[in-house]
Amino acid sequence: AARHLVAFPLRAAREIVTLAGQSVRTRLADGETARQRARTPATTFNRDIGKERGFVFGAIALDDVKAIKNHFDVTINDVLLAIIGGSLRRYLSADGNLPTESLRTSIAVSQRTDDEMFANKVTVVGTTLATDLDDPVERLRVVSQDAAWAKAEAKSGSDGFMELVAAFPPLAVGAMMTMTPPEMFSQAAGYNLIVSNVRGAPIPMY
């Protein structure tokens, strides 16, 4: 703990400088790159959470997802994100709470190289859910393009919001989370919600 606290100022400064440099490069880049750095809109999801909880389970046939993937030459993850984007669009539209800007989500990206077979190097990047688009095909294409750009940036070694947070001591992170309003956290993190996709067993499990 003592070593961590002593090294903290240098680590935090390094992460801040890295993020600032990436921001400057983004601003100087072409329009396509700038489009990817879209604003994270305020939504009903990014508020204080009460005591009530709900859980809903649904299933989609993997073969159907693969058929869409193969037809449009995208990934399974792209199809899942596009489906979630369409669901969120319908849900928020029904309540009259759909923002004009697209909602954004976070996806985990491995930074492990071919030489690091057993290393566990993962970062989190933000990507669009294209909830501002009504056409499902256009939504899928935009999601695929944005996710590919985000993954390429992460694999290049670029640091993000989570790397900056990881540089701070846990007590400091807890204090910041308590003091930061939920809507401000979503702006800082760059996403409204988390989408997790875990590959299951390739054989039947009992």
Side-chain angles (χ1 to χ4, degrees):
R3 286 197 302 268
H4 182 85
L5 289 174
V6 170
F8 160 67
L10 180 60
R11 291 179 56 199
R14 184 167 57 244
E15 295 294 344
I16 292 172
V17 170
T18 299
L19 287 174
Q22 290 169 191
S23 177
V24 170
R25 288 194 298 272
T26 298
R27 292 176 182 273
L28 296 177
D30 57 26
E32 179 64 17
T33 302
R35 183 187 64 82
Q36 308 292 350
R37 294 295 191 182
R39 175 181 175 273
T40 304
T43 70
T44 54
F45 303 126
N46 306 119
R47 296 178 181 174
D48 288 328
I49 301 175
K51 297 180 180 180
E52 298 298 325
R53 295 292 185 273
F55 179 82
V56 179
F57 177 82
I60 299 175
L62 183 59
D63 288 342
D64 293 340
V65 174
K66 287 182 176 179
I68 299 173
K69 159 193 169 298
N70 294 333
H71 180 78
F72 292 100
D73 191 24
V74 295
T75 68
I76 289 178
N77 288 347
D78 295 338
V79 178
L80 293 177
L81 290 176
I83 291 172
I84 292 169
S87 300
L88 289 170
R89 178 182 172 85
R90 288 191 298 273
Y91 178 84
L92 293 171
S93 294
D95 290 339
N97 292 317
L98 180 67
T100 55
E101 305 95 344
S102 172
L103 270 70
R104 297 182 64 80
T105 185
S106 72
I107 56 174
V109 179
S110 173
Q111 292 182 313
R112 188 176 60 190
T113 64
D114 294 337
D115 298 331
E116 299 172 318
M117 182 178 298
F118 300 106
N120 186 22
K121 297 175 64 176
V122 181
T123 189
V124 175
V125 295
T127 187
T128 185
L129 288 170
T131 55
D132 56 327
L133 301 175
D134 184 46
D135 185 276
V137 175
E138 186 180 1
R139 182 184 308 116
L140 175 59
R141 287 173 176 156
V142 170
V143 164
S144 179
Q145 292 171 359
D146 201 56
W149 180 89
K151 286 183 282 190
E153 183 186 51
K155 289 182 179 296
S156 70
S158 297
D159 291 338
F161 176 76
M162 296 309 296
E163 281 73 21
L164 176 61
V165 172
F168 285 79
L171 287 177
V173 174
M176 288 189 296
M177 293 291 290
T178 301
M179 297 171 58
T180 304
E183 60 274 12
M184 287 184 62
F185 177 81
S186 64
Q187 292 292 329
Y191 51 83
N192 300 100
L193 66 159
I194 297 171
V195 175
S196 178
N197 179 21
V198 181
R199 184 175 181 177
I203 58 174
M205 304 295 290
Y206 300 90

